[in-house]
Amino acid sequence: MLQGNHRKETLKRKNLKNLKIILTLLFLVSCGKEEVIEHPDVFQIELWKSPPERYRPYFRWWWPGGSVEENELRRELELFKENGFGGVEIQLFTFGLDEEDISRDPKIMSVGTEEFFEKLKNTLKIASELNLRVDITFGSSWPTGGPFIKEGKAKQLLMSVTEVEGPSTFRGPIPLPEKPKFYGLLNLVQDISKTVGEFDRNFKLLAVIAGKKGNAPAEILELIDISRNLSNGILEWDVPDGKWFIFGIYENFTNQLVFCHAYPGNFTESFVIDHLNKKGIDEMIEKFGENLVDHVKEYIGNPLDSLFIDSFELFSVLPWTDEFPEKFQEKMGYDIKPFIPLLFKKFGEIKWLETILKGSLKYSYGETGKRIREDYEEVRSEIFRDEFLKPLLDWVHKKGLTLRIQNHGGYQNFLEGYSMVDIPETEELYAGGSYDFMKLASSSAHISGKRFVSSETFVSASENPRKLKEEDFYYLAGRAFSAGVNKIIYHGYPYLYYRKERRWYPFDRPESLGFSFTTWTDETSPVWKEIKKINEYIARLSYALSRGKNSAELAWLYNELDFKDKIVFGFRGEVHDSEMTKKLQRAEITYDRVSPFHLRTAEIKNGKIVIGFQEYSALLMDNLDAVYPEAMSRVKDIVSAGIPVVILGDFPERAKGYRNFEENDSFVKKIVSEIEGKVKRVSTPDEAIQALLDAGVKPPIIPQNKFQPFDITHRIVKNGEIILIFNGTEESQKEVFFIGNGRKGILLDPLTGSEKGRAKDGYITVEIPPSFSFLLFLEE
């Protein structure tokens, strides 16, 4: 009897429990609280209001090498979680620490040791518990390398110069090259002892080239390879009539150091890899990468997502590698050796110096010199791709990771490099964070079908690392979003570490720089009390702008391999943008930058230019002094298909490169003659805009005024269209847009997630405070 009552009571409790579960589920459903299944190509209002963790911004989390402790790591990760961050990027270095700090605390210089990997593994465990994502820089600091790099060190060419006059006979040794002048110049920017190691005097003589002098001091009229006249280190050469240079071409190691790294040992023992030879990245993978993934393999995918490589900032007199001559011959069909003196720049190829010094070529050889340098840069770009980036990507993917990379500062075509990686990243410090620069990374992602484009955000050169106010965060985020970015990385948060009774901040007015990098964002920051609200705002926009696919009307050819950096103080960056960019923004014409590499692959379908995952209604071209013949051939096809082509400035006068230049020049001129009357050639950006509008290129929403103050980006989703509208001015702005009759338009405020207005009779009024962005959802 008791057993029967017990069974009845148990069954009653079980039925009551089941009833509670059913009622709870019914209540959640009735309240709209059921779990929303995310769809990457659909904009869902529920997820807009409360975005998943992965759309929340990341913190760049600076560690003082390996000197971190579990309790503080947990405290900081919990702090990030509580304040609306979705993850961290761990950056390991010693910037801002001096020799006294490092000698006092041996744990700093421990990256890559067993003790360090255990700390990293434990950090991933804590992050997993908190549902925070983690990326980590591949190695300590940047550029990529370490004390274990022995066989794969970066190489360069140097040159000695002797002047002689003929007719005469020269007999003697070829002088060794002198220590480059950039060593002294670099000290003006950064402590040379942490940047470049001892000058390598183990030279290898590769060639001896004679150059006949012209009237100008650095003009060359003729080049002769006289290496065969060299025997046992002595050159014997019958000098022809006139004044001549004798160039000794030498190879050595750059001895560039990994900047302010935190590996064991001293700073002068940690070398940057050769990015032009596969053995460089292979050695990095073998001696650091495999050890890293072996220690953290249980956390790959959750929470460890990506390996990150910061901007390259490579230093060299002339970048080189062992097999360069053979690869050049194979690609270009001629021997580069007799022309090597024409490749050198006046101040070498030093990323930091190129921001303040004009890196023109050291010697002139008419147009031929420019052409050979173009061939050199093209081959160098391909070698960088094949010997560094492809092997790295293959290994990263094999290990179940993704690669996030800042391609700028390296040797590869910027647009091509961004297109290859999983998450291309731009930044707001390089070139002042101009739209012209940021659009390179986002355009490449759009064309290659990559969903995410990240940005190192809230960073600029400034006298005060605490300078940013709350509205500045909205402004800088808005600039990034309107340039096509949809993943924000804060720059950044320093692990709580005290040096000389002050909290360590790596970029707080380093003595050698004399200025800081903003922003220093931590719990003592003036804006910290608002940081969770800012992050909700960022997360909503990141979610929305990663739905569906980008849409742009215009393909704008970017005819260069790289983008020149410059130091810009402050961050109200509109003045740093090109005039053409400003005019396109004011006319609301959406665009992507496309490279000749992209254009060569273009197809024409249904009256559109199809490049990768994108299609465009028109092509804009400018800065066309020299072009690739294959790109011009595709332009002819585009014109023949009746698609509008607008050329700002002059038609190209020649083909790029020295190989088959006469044939290629003729081909380019032939194409120009065939399309000249079929394209619209204009002289000013205003004329270019009018030509595009006349040709039927329209913005996704039509402003009441011809030119208006907002910047936009446009995406297509399965249930409609998404348009970011950013007010980058310092005043409230108002505009009325025509969205089309019968279309539903909802204006959304990312600060609150709420509606700010709806379309009526095909029109919607948009009024946005200064520095803020709103989202317009055009619902199907």
Side-chain angles (χ1 to χ4, degrees), residues 139-158:
S140 175
S141 195
W142 71 94
T144 305
F148 35 77
I149 301 299
K150 307 296 183 184
E151 301 300 319
K153 291 168 57 178
K155 291 186 175 181
Q156 65 184 351
L157 291 187
L158 303 96

Side-chain angles (χ1 to χ4, degrees), residues 296-557:
V296 302
K297 57 188 174 185
E298 64 189 281
Y299 296 106
I300 290 177
N302 182 23
L304 182 59
D305 279 337
S306 296
L307 294 184
F308 171 64
I309 291 183
D310 214 326
S311 56
F312 289 94
E313 302 183 16
L314 300 173
F315 301 161
S316 179
V317 176
L318 181 69
W320 197 255
T321 196
D322 291 340
E323 297 178 1
F324 197 99
E326 291 78 13
K327 292 181 183 294
F328 188 95
Q329 178 84 46
E330 180 181 348
K331 169 71 177 177
M332 292 301 171
Y334 67 92
D335 185 5
I336 187 63
K337 191 168 67 172
F339 302 107
I340 288 176
L342 307 178
L343 304 178
F344 287 86
K345 290 186 174 182
K346 288 182 180 179
F347 303 104
E349 301 192 33
I350 318 299
K351 187 269 176 190
W352 287 355
L353 294 182
E354 288 178 346
T355 61
I356 55 177
L357 298 172
K358 185 177 180 181
S360 57
L361 295 177
K362 194 167 186 178
Y363 292 95
S364 66
Y365 191 46
E367 194 176 83
T368 299
K370 294 179 183 178
R371 291 178 181 272
I372 291 170
R373 175 72 194 194
E374 288 166 353
D375 283 349
Y376 163 76
E377 290 180 359
E378 183 178 350
V379 172
R380 188 174 72 177
S381 174
E382 293 187 5
I383 293 175
F384 185 95
R385 176 195 67 200
D386 295 340
E387 298 288 315
F388 169 72
L389 192 50
K390 280 185 177 179
L392 176 59
L393 272 168
D394 289 345
W395 176 77
V396 166
H397 293 165
K398 181 180 177 182
K399 296 300 179 181
L401 291 159
T402 56
L403 183 64
R404 180 165 58 86
I405 195 168
Q406 294 183 359
N407 195 54
H408 42 283
Y411 301 138
Q412 189 182 5
N413 180 312
F414 280 16
L415 280 165
E416 182 185 10
Y418 287 136
S419 295
M420 290 178 63
V421 300
D422 302 301
I423 304 175
E425 178 162 301
T426 187
E427 63 170 278
E428 290 179 344
L429 183 63
Y430 192 101
S434 70
Y435 272 97
D436 297 286
F437 170 65
M438 289 196 289
K439 286 292 289 186
L440 299 182
S442 63
S443 297
S444 297
H446 300 156
I447 290 168
S448 58
K450 307 297 168 52
R451 186 169 296 277
F452 292 103
V453 185
S454 58
S455 172
E456 176 185 325
T457 315
F458 315 129
V459 54
S460 66
S462 171
E463 78 286 354
N464 177 11
R466 302 284 199 174
K467 184 175 183 178
L468 295 191
K469 302 183 289 295
E470 181 184 352
E471 57 266 31
D472 297 327
F473 282 79
Y474 297 114
Y475 170 80
L476 291 169
R479 266 186 72 84
F481 284 130
S482 60
V485 168
N486 55 20
K487 187 178 182 69
I488 297 294
I489 314 292
Y490 271 70
H491 185 283
Y493 187 95
Y495 175 89
L496 183 61
Y497 186 86
Y498 283 91
R499 59 179 302 268
K500 299 177 176 62
E501 300 181 353
R502 291 182 60 198
R503 181 170 185 167
W504 168 65
Y505 175 66
F507 302 106
D508 183 10
R509 298 182 68 82
E511 292 179 4
S512 55
L513 289 177
F515 57 86
S516 302
F517 297 148
T518 57
T519 178
W520 179 356
T521 311
D522 62 15
E523 60 272 40
T524 68
S525 168
V527 298
W528 188 260
K529 63 182 182 298
E530 307 294 341
I531 210 73
K532 188 172 184 179
K533 179 178 67 173
I534 294 170
N535 287 345
E536 289 290 334
Y537 172 94
I538 290 172
R540 291 189 180 101
L541 291 176
S542 292
Y543 163 74
L545 296 176
S546 59
R547 303 303 85 195
K549 63 178 289 189
N550 176 74
S551 176
E553 283 291 294
L554 179 66
W556 180 7
L557 179 65

Side-chain angles (χ1 to χ4, degrees), residues 580 646-650 680-689 691:
M580 190 67 242
V646 175
I647 294 181
L648 174 57
D650 295 327
K680 183 67 175 179
R681 181 169 168 264
V682 297
S683 300
T684 68
D686 281 327
E687 291 176 356
I689 294 297

Side-chain angles (χ1 to χ4, degrees), residues 111 145-150 258 261 263-266 269-271:
V111 172
F148 35 77
I149 301 299
K150 307 296 183 184
V258 180
H261 68 85
Y263 295 115
N266 59 53
E269 297 172 347
S270 188
F271 297 106

Side-chain angles (χ1 to χ4, degrees), residues 719-731:
N719 57 335
E721 298 174 52
I722 293 169
I723 299 172
L724 174 93
I725 307 176
F726 168 56
N727 177 13
T729 74
E730 298 185 60
E731 298 178 358

Side-chain angles (χ1 to χ4, degrees), residues 668-772:
V668 167
K669 290 174 182 177
K670 180 174 180 292
I671 296 289
V672 168
S673 67
E674 291 173 350
I675 68 172
E676 191 167 1
K678 301 175 184 178
V679 302
K680 183 67 175 179
R681 181 169 168 264
V682 297
S683 300
T684 68
D686 281 327
E687 291 176 356
I689 294 297
Q690 192 59 54
L692 291 167
L693 294 173
D694 291 344
V697 178
K698 302 295 183 186
I701 49 177
I702 310 298
Q704 192 174 53
N705 298 305
K706 185 176 181 181
F707 297 105
Q708 51 73 55
F710 298 125
D711 303 328
I712 67 171
T713 190
H714 181 208
R715 296 187 73 86
I716 304 294
V717 291
K718 288 187 175 180
N719 57 335
E721 298 174 52
I722 293 169
I723 299 172
L724 174 93
I725 307 176
F726 168 56
N727 177 13
T729 74
E730 298 185 60
E731 298 178 358
S732 290
Q733 300 289 344
K734 184 176 181 179
E735 179 62 274
V736 178
F737 290 97
F738 178 67
I739 64 169
N741 292 317
R743 302 188 75 188
K744 295 180 181 178
I746 308 170
L747 194 64
L748 298 168
D749 182 356
L751 198 58
T752 61
S754 61
E755 282 188 24
K756 295 296 289 186
R758 284 183 175 257
K760 183 178 180 181
D761 299 327
Y763 290 88
I764 190 163
T765 300
V766 176
E767 186 171 4
I768 307 180
S771 302
F772 275 82

